[in-house]
């Protein structure tokens, strides 16, 4: 794109989008759109390449820098442009969520939604979230087992019998007492410990005056548990520090690492590390801004002070942006005193952590398949997290969407999932089933439990891939997709293009491994279903094929096409089969469609 091809640009704050065709390659913000955009044509390196590659420029005018910062953050998160710095984080840190209902409940979630609920997080240490949740569950009797949204039950659960729930699900909870418990939980999570102590002690004294000594003893135990938790479970620091966040930064060549520390009430709660690759052309300021934008877009509640290791041009805009989320927040670089020592500590730890990461990469080696996938598919970074999807069914019934997760080229079996497909009419429909599986994964309960992957692998051809793409569009997500056609082991892209790789290519070997794992995961679920219900299938009407022979067929073949391809002699060698039973099976299958999976 040439300078004279630019549209007329205003000298006002806004966001600009460099595009190649319909694809956004870079999103940026500016105090002065005209001055910022035209500077690209006088830049070097990445800036010059962006404007040379772009064929179009779009821009959005906003009222001030704060709006520009927020809009830029949302656009980058949604479109993930090639030239923007994207914070690669292998972990997905948890939040605590207090639902917005008549009878609120406390939940651990992985995503903040605009649903009116209160959120706390992200928490650097998942074990800390579990400790806090256990503390609340034991000593603050909010509901736990009546679902979200709230559902009435016929009988109270065991938590009510143990005194850990007020049982609103069966109409036994006093609304005033429940709301008081909600406020106490909010004070606990907000760090207003003294306010919580005062409230609990007042209740304890009132219970004692009413000679309700059992209730007074329960409240005494609550106070003791909270004091014990906040006195020993976190690392003590300096009480005078109060609430603040501080950051450390380190880089080495093409790699950088940013560490974020939380201090609440003078106590260190933990740290979050972000390791970033492919940043040789990015400035320190660009990397730090990318972290701030990524982390603070969802973080809540915020401290009054955020300390940086060096100055940023957009520092005042970040202060205003964070302050717009509630309380006033100052973002600054400390100049003297204890706060400078915090930054020195963070800088030292960031440098040490970066060197450790680099040594681990050398020791373990980076899975060659991930780098190969990045190159073959034209991705902007290595697809660390890949989710595999397959549709299979049990002899035309019990249609299941199978999900597997690979991280770093290795299976993460704890996150494997299976989804029962609903709404099928008549014959199995792989395209409908794939669309429903993807849609439910990214819009249902799994969306909060599992992080968004870097790549989605579909077991199937163009039809299945486009069904998955349609579901992602409905979910409002843009995630790279690739299909793997079984017979030719060919990669299939949503635009219809195919890529044929040698069988020994590490990228293809990795995809085949995960595809087979995804298929196996679905078959295991089918075997479980066989043990839960009677074995009813198309084989029921074949004379001489009983449960034992039917089970032998299911254990040896994954599709009817595979079974139909067998000869009578080969089939007769299965346990319990002879030539006559083999002929009966093949004759019954001769007029069946081939798509059905066993």
């Amino acid at each position: 794109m040439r300078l004279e091809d630019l549209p007329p640009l205003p000298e006002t704050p806004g966001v600009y989008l460099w595009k190649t065709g319909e694809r956004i390659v870079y999103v940026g913000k500016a105090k002065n759109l005209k001055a910022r955009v035209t500077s690209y044509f006088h830049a070097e390196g990445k800036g010059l390449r962006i404007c040379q590659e772009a064929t179009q420029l779009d821009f959005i005018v906003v009222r001030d820098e704060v709006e520009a910062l927020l809009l830029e953050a949302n656009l980058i998160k949604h479109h993930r442009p090639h030239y923007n710095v994207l914070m690669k984080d292998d972990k997905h840190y948890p939040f605590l969520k207090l639902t917005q209902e008549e009878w609120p409940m406390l939940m651990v979630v992985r995503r903040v939604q605009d649903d009116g609920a209160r959120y706390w997080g992200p928490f650097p240490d998942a074990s800390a979230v579990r400790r806090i949740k256990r503390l609340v569950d034991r000593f603050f009797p909010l509901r736990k087992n009546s679902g979200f949204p709230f559902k009435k039950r016929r009988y109270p659960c065991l938590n009510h019998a143990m005194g850990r729930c007020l049982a609103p699900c069966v109409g036994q909870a006093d609304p005033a007492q429940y709301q008081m418990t909600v406020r106490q939980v909010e004070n606990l999570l907000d760090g207003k410990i003294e306010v919580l102590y005062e409230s609990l002690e007042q209740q304890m004294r009132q219970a004692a005056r009413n000679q309700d000594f059992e209730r007074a003893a329960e409240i005494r135990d609550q106070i003791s548990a909270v004091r014990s938790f906040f006195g020993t479970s976190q690392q003590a620091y300096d009480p005078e520090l109060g609430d603040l966040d501080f950051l450390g930064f380190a880089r080495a060549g093409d790699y950088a690492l940013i560490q974020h520390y939380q201090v609440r009430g003078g106590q260190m709660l933990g740290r979050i590390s972000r390791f970033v690759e492919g940043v040789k052309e990015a400035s320190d300021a660009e990397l730090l801004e990318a972290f701030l934008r990524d982390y603070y877009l969802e973080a809540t509640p915020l401290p009054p002070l955020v300390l940086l290791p060096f100055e940023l041009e957009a520092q005042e805009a970040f202060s205003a942006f964070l302050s717009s989320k509630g309380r006033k927040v100052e973002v600054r670089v400390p100049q003297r005193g204890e706060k400078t020592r915090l930054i020195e500590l963070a800088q030292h730890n960031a440098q040490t952590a970066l060197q450790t990461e680099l040594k681990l990469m050398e020791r373990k080696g980076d899975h060659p398949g991930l780098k190969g996938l990045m190159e073959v598919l034209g991705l902007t970074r290595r697809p660390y997290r890949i989710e595999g999807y397959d549709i299979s069914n049990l002899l035309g019934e019990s249609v299941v969407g199978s999900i597997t997760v690979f991280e770093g080229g290795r299976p993460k079996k704890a996150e494997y999932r299976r989804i029962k497909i609903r709404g099928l009419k008549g014959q199995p429909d792989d395209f409908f089933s794939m669309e429903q599986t993807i849609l439910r994964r990214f819009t249902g309960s799994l969306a909060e439990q599992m992080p968004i992957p870097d790549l989605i692998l579909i077991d199937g051809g163009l039809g299945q891939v486009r069904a998955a793409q349609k579901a992602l569009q409905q979910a409002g997500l843009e995630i790279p997709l690739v299909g793997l056609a079984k017979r030719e082991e060919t990669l299939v892209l949503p635009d219809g293009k195919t890529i044929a790789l040698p069988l020994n290519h590490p990228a293809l070997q990795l995809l085949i491994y995960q595809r087979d794992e995804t298929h196996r995961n679905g078959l295991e679920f089918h075997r479980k279903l066989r043990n839960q219900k009677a074995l009813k299938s198309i084989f029921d009407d074949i004379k001489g094929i009983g449960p034992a022979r039917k089970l032998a067929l299911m254990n040896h073949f994954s599709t009817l096409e595979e079974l139909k391809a067998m000869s009578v002699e080969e089939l007769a060698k299965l346990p319990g089969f002879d030539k006559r039973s083999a002929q009966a099976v093949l004759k019954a299958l001769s007029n069946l469609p081939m798509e059905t999976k066993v």
Side-chain angles (χ1 to χ4, degrees):
M1 189 173 185
R2 299 173 302 173
L3 181 60
E4 53 267 29
D5 295 330
L6 288 175
L9 293 165
E11 298 181 1
T12 56
V15 173
Y16 55 92
L17 301 88
W18 290 106
K19 302 174 71 175
T20 300
E22 292 301 313
R23 182 169 59 93
I24 298 172
V25 296
Y26 186 80
V27 175
K29 64 181 182 304
K31 287 183 184 179
N32 183 320
L33 279 170
K34 183 176 181 179
R36 182 71 186 97
V37 171
T38 54
S39 71
Y40 278 78
F41 294 89
H42 310 292
E44 297 179 353
K46 184 173 76 171
L48 183 60
R49 284 205 312 278
I50 289 173
C51 62
Q52 288 176 339
E53 181 180 322
T55 59
Q56 181 182 345
L57 178 84
D58 289 346
F59 64 91
I60 304 170
V61 175
V62 296
R63 288 179 295 183
D64 51 38
E65 280 189 89
V66 176
E67 281 193 7
L69 182 65
L70 180 59
L71 180 57
E72 178 198 40
N74 284 317
L75 288 172
I76 290 173
K77 183 177 180 181
H78 181 71
H79 295 288
R80 304 174 70 82
H82 175 70
Y83 285 109
N84 282 100
V85 174
L86 302 173
M87 285 288 126
K88 180 182 188 307
D89 187 13
D90 300 341
K91 298 178 181 177
H92 203 68
Y93 296 99
F95 292 79
L96 283 170
K97 171 181 178 177
L98 188 64
T99 59
Q100 177 66 28
E101 302 175 275
E102 180 183 4
W103 308 102
M105 68 182 294
L106 189 67
M107 308 165 63
V108 178
V109 298
R110 299 275 175 173
R111 182 182 297 179
V112 173
Q113 297 178 326
D114 187 13
D115 55 3
R118 283 209 63 187
Y119 292 85
W120 290 265
F123 287 87
D125 182 2
S127 63
V129 178
R130 291 192 292 271
R131 290 197 303 270
I132 295 172
K133 182 71 164 57
R134 282 198 297 268
L135 174 71
V136 173
D137 287 347
R138 182 176 180 184
F139 293 102
F140 297 88
L142 297 182
R143 67 183 185 88
K144 301 168 183 65
N145 297 326
S146 46
F148 176 69
F150 173 75
K151 295 179 181 178
K152 289 187 176 181
R153 294 168 60 102
R154 191 172 181 181
Y155 302 105
C157 66
L158 183 61
N159 284 306
H160 177 64
M162 297 170 65
R164 296 183 179 182
C165 179
L166 296 174
C169 59
V170 293
Q172 294 190 19
D174 173 49
Q177 183 182 358
Y178 198 93
Q179 286 305 313
M180 181 174 60
T181 303
V182 170
R183 288 193 297 272
Q184 289 173 349
V185 171
E186 289 179 320
N187 286 334
L188 172 70
L189 298 178
D190 285 337
K192 299 177 181 177
I193 307 303
E194 295 305 322
V195 175
L196 176 60
Y197 289 155
E198 183 179 341
S199 171
L200 290 173
E201 287 172 355
Q202 184 177 354
Q203 290 181 64
M204 183 174 64
R205 287 192 294 270
Q206 183 62 46
R209 283 195 293 270
N210 295 338
Q211 296 187 357
D212 187 352
F213 301 116
E214 184 177 348
R215 176 61 183 154
E218 290 176 356
I219 300 172
R220 179 202 61 202
D221 292 342
Q222 278 183 285
I223 296 172
S224 176
V226 173
R227 289 192 188 278
S228 174
F229 181 85
F230 282 93
T232 62
S233 64
Q234 288 108 358
Q235 177 184 348
Y237 215 73
D238 182 351
E240 295 184 2
L241 288 175
D243 297 348
L244 61 87
D245 292 352
F246 63 98
L247 289 88
F249 177 89
R251 69 183 301 166
D254 206 27
Y255 305 94
L257 186 137
I258 301 168
Q259 287 192 334
H260 174 276
Y261 294 80
Q262 289 182 354
V263 176
R264 297 294 182 267
Q267 296 172 329
M268 185 87 74
L269 296 187
R271 71 182 179 193
I272 290 173
S273 289
R274 298 281 175 93
F275 178 63
V276 197
E277 302 177 55
V279 298
K280 189 178 295 182
E281 292 187 304
S283 67
D284 291 357
E286 187 179 0
L287 292 168
L288 189 58
E289 280 192 20
F291 175 85
L292 294 173
R293 181 185 64 226
D294 182 69
Y295 177 82
Y296 285 109
L297 190 63
E298 290 190 337
T300 181
L302 299 177
L305 180 62
V306 177
L307 301 177
L308 304 181
F310 49 80
E311 298 282 348
L312 296 177
E313 182 182 347
Q315 205 162 289
E316 292 185 7
F318 272 108
S319 294
F321 164 64
L322 298 182
S323 299
S324 69
K325 298 179 73 173
R327 68 191 300 181
K328 180 175 175 54
V329 180
E330 181 185 7
V331 179
R332 63 179 172 89
V333 178
Q335 302 298 325
R336 63 181 68 86
E338 179 64 24
K339 293 182 175 61
T340 61
R341 287 188 282 276
L342 289 178
I343 294 297
E344 290 171 0
L345 168 71
Q347 291 290 83
H348 174 73
N349 283 338
Q351 189 64 49
T352 302
L354 177 59
Q355 294 304 318
T356 301
E357 286 282 354
L358 296 177
K359 288 177 182 177
L360 286 173
M361 288 179 66
E362 294 174 3
R363 185 183 306 167
K364 296 189 301 185
D366 194 3
H367 195 293
L370 300 180
K371 185 177 181 181
L373 282 172
M374 183 179 71
E375 295 170 351
V376 168
L377 301 178
L379 305 178
T380 58
R381 61 179 182 176
R382 289 181 179 87
Y384 178 83
R385 182 184 175 95
I386 304 174
E387 290 188 6
Y389 291 81
D390 181 28
I391 302 300
S392 57
N393 57 76
L394 181 63
L395 301 172
E397 300 179 357
S398 303
V399 182
V400 173
S402 170
I403 305 174
T404 58
V405 176
F406 274 38
E407 289 191 350
R410 298 171 182 83
K412 193 173 184 181
K413 296 188 178 182
E415 294 198 29
Y416 284 15
R417 296 291 186 272
R418 293 113 172 205
I419 293 177
K420 289 185 178 180
I421 305 302
R422 309 176 187 129
L424 286 171
K425 299 177 181 178
Q427 291 294 324
D429 185 338
D430 276 2
F431 301 157
F432 172 85
S433 301
M434 181 63 72
E435 181 181 341
Q436 186 180 124
T437 299
I438 297 287
L439 191 61
R440 287 169 59 188
R441 155 64 180 93
F442 290 102
T443 61
S445 59
L446 289 180
E448 292 191 354
Q449 299 171 18
M450 300 168 68
I452 292 176
D454 300 309
L455 177 67
I456 290 177
L457 168 64
I458 302 297
D459 181 7
L462 184 59
Q464 285 90 344
V465 171
R466 285 184 172 167
Q469 185 182 42
K470 180 181 176 182
L472 287 177
Q473 290 170 349
Q474 293 178 57
L477 295 172
E478 291 185 8
I479 304 172
L481 276 169
V482 63
L484 186 59
K486 257 182 190 164
R487 287 185 181 177
E488 303 83 7
E489 303 293 15
T490 301
L491 277 59
V492 181
L493 304 181
D495 60 5
K497 292 180 180 178
T498 60
I499 302 173
L501 297 175
L503 282 176
N504 61 355
H505 194 290
L508 181 58
Q509 289 181 338
L510 176 59
L511 292 182
I512 290 174
Y513 178 22
Q514 183 161 6
R515 189 269 314 279
D516 292 345
E517 268 290 285
T518 311
H519 187 57
R520 182 193 60 77
N521 182 51
L523 289 181
E524 281 188 357
F525 186 62
H526 288 157
R527 293 189 182 105
K528 180 179 178 181
L529 291 179
R530 292 173 199 150
N531 296 328
Q532 294 176 342
K533 64 181 183 179
L535 288 173
K536 177 161 182 65
S537 74
I538 60 172
F539 296 135
D540 286 344
D541 298 326
I542 303 177
K543 187 176 181 180
I545 304 300
R549 284 175 173 169
K550 187 167 21 177
L551 188 59
L553 290 172
M554 292 176 179
N555 286 334
H556 281 79
F557 303 101
S558 60
T559 67
L560 293 177
E561 183 178 16
E562 184 182 342
L563 175 56
K564 189 178 178 182
M566 300 290 288
S567 66
V568 172
E569 291 73 18
E570 290 172 323
L571 193 55
K573 294 178 182 179
L574 287 181
F577 274 78
D578 54 24
K579 188 174 181 180
R580 180 179 295 178
S581 57
Q583 288 174 333
V585 169
L586 293 178
K587 182 179 179 181
L589 295 179
S590 60
N591 295 320
L592 287 177
M594 291 291 88
E595 291 81 4
T596 307
K597 294 184 181 180
V598 177

